[in-house]
Amino acid sequence: KLNRTTMTIKSTQLLPAFLAAAGLLLSACGEKATEEKPSAETTSDDSALSEFVVEEAHAELKQISEVFANPEPGTEVVIGGEVMGRMNPFIDGRAMVVLGDSTKLTPCNRRPGDECTTPWDVCCDLPEVIKSSITTVQFVDDDGKIIKSSLKGFNGIKELSYLTVAGTIAEGSNAENLLINATEVHVAKESPYKDALPVSGHGSEAEAAAEGAPKE
């Protein structure tokens, strides 16, 4: 497999621009950011991305929120997560994607009665929970440059796809942002959390319990 773990990554300078494009401002449940537009499904270098794909998912992995708690640059990690956490988790023409921790975040289509048309924006979860439960994964070439190919549509990747990613925590990661340089990616046929109940916010078990509690 390609050895990218020891290279000096300069492409982290693109992270702020990507986060701005993806929409840093988190809207309340039911509200949508009007300035965000879905990215087009464009690919220009699928052959380069194909080198990262593995047929079998890693058996052992960490949740994104676990890695976020101690984002030590240079550390090799294996994570699992769904494409979610932003209205637009992809960036046009660049191999970058936002993954969310499925044990902390709930897409709107898994909330009873929620008819949100962009469920991957997880708008009903608390902003502070979203912030510490997402990571940006990028795929770079041997020169440390982000591959010029959108991940949307590649190998079936779309919003709410479940990916297992092996990689290295990139320089620039800290308590505010987690950036991972991928070395391998596995795309699951379906998310293991597709039938999971909401973990927090609107429609969650905690909310239902609170509503059913006796009134004083």
Side-chain angles (χ1 to χ4, degrees), residues 189-200:
K189 292 182 179 179
E190 61 181 11
S191 171
Y193 296 90
K194 65 182 180 65
D195 297 320
L197 296 173
V199 256
S200 66

Side-chain angles (χ1 to χ4, degrees), residues 31-114:
E31 297 177 357
K32 304 300 174 188
T34 56
E35 70 274 11
E36 293 187 13
K37 298 179 181 179
S39 64
E41 294 189 24
T42 60
T43 56
S44 57
D45 197 0
D46 281 2
S47 60
L49 286 175
S50 295
E51 298 181 11
F52 293 84
V53 178
V54 293
E55 295 301 320
E56 298 292 332
H58 289 263
E60 296 184 9
L61 55 81
K62 287 189 173 182
Q63 299 297 342
I64 293 169
S65 55
E66 292 181 75
V67 179
F68 205 110
N70 185 28
E72 184 74 30
T75 303
E76 295 184 9
V77 294
V78 179
I79 62 165
E82 292 178 81
V83 178
M84 63 179 178
R86 294 282 181 261
M87 174 91 68
N88 182 6
F90 299 97
I91 186 170
D92 227 9
R94 291 292 185 274
M96 302 175 75
V97 64
V98 173
L99 294 185
D101 186 334
S102 303
T103 68
K104 300 292 184 181
L105 305 176
T106 303
C108 300
N109 59 342
R110 293 175 200 158
R111 298 181 183 276
D114 196 318

